[in-house]
Amino acid sequence: MSSGPTPVSFKVRTQSRVMEVAFDDGAQFSIPFELLRVYSPSAEVRGHGHGQETLQTGKREVGIVGVEPVGNYGIKPIFSDEHSSGIFTWEYLYQLGRDQDAMWEAYLQKLEAAGFTRESGRDQDMSSAGGSACGHHH
């Protein structure tokens, strides 16, 4: 038996750019694609250890072009910017949905700290900003 939340409904809304997930405990979330992308659990985003996270910019218009199941515990979204290495467990999707307001605010603060405005960083592509994640290209 699973110790974490189990989804009972899952929908990708390409027009409104949100992922709708309902869980067996009654919780329902509508998670923006942009939030999913900037908090991807991949090494490209999180780095290979604490403090190696790479700020994701220019993801306001990102889409999801496909979703692959990963066992019985999660999914792997394929984003329109070709990012597809993040495995989102059901538990992590639940956390993103539950904590999205705080996570969104933290992301906007990181943009500001990096010298972007809250809005420009959402449109500014990192490749034109001269940043590199961990020394190699993904």
Side-chain angles (χ1 to χ4, degrees), residues 7-105:
V8 293
S9 174
F10 177 87
K11 294 181 177 119
V12 174
R13 304 284 188 188
T14 55
Q15 289 293 325
S16 54
R17 289 191 177 93
V18 295
M19 182 179 293
E20 295 177 351
V21 189
F23 289 91
D24 57 358
D25 66 354
Q28 296 183 34
F29 305 112
S30 182
I31 309 168
F33 292 172
E34 182 181 7
L35 189 73
L36 290 164
R37 178 61 181 84
V38 301
Y39 279 105
S40 171
S42 69
E44 176 186 343
V45 174
R46 288 195 173 171
H48 300 285
H50 184 69
Q52 295 183 359
E53 299 84 4
T54 300
L55 180 63
Q56 302 296 301
T57 61
K59 304 304 177 190
R60 181 196 303 264
E61 301 295 326
V62 75
I64 291 180
V65 297
V67 176
E68 298 176 1
V70 178
N72 291 323
Y73 63 91
I75 57 162
K76 184 170 86 165
I78 301 163
F79 292 92
S80 60
D81 65 355
E82 299 182 5
H83 177 73
S84 63
S85 59
I87 296 174
F88 291 75
T89 64
W90 300 131
E91 187 174 342
Y92 186 55
L93 279 173
Y94 192 98
Q95 177 190 344
L96 279 170
R98 182 192 64 211
D99 300 337
Q100 67 179 298
D101 291 343
M103 293 175 84
W104 188 251
E105 185 60 31

Side-chain angles (χ1 to χ4, degrees), residues 110-117 120:
K110 287 176 188 173
L111 286 175
E112 281 188 27
F116 297 102
T117 68
S120 72

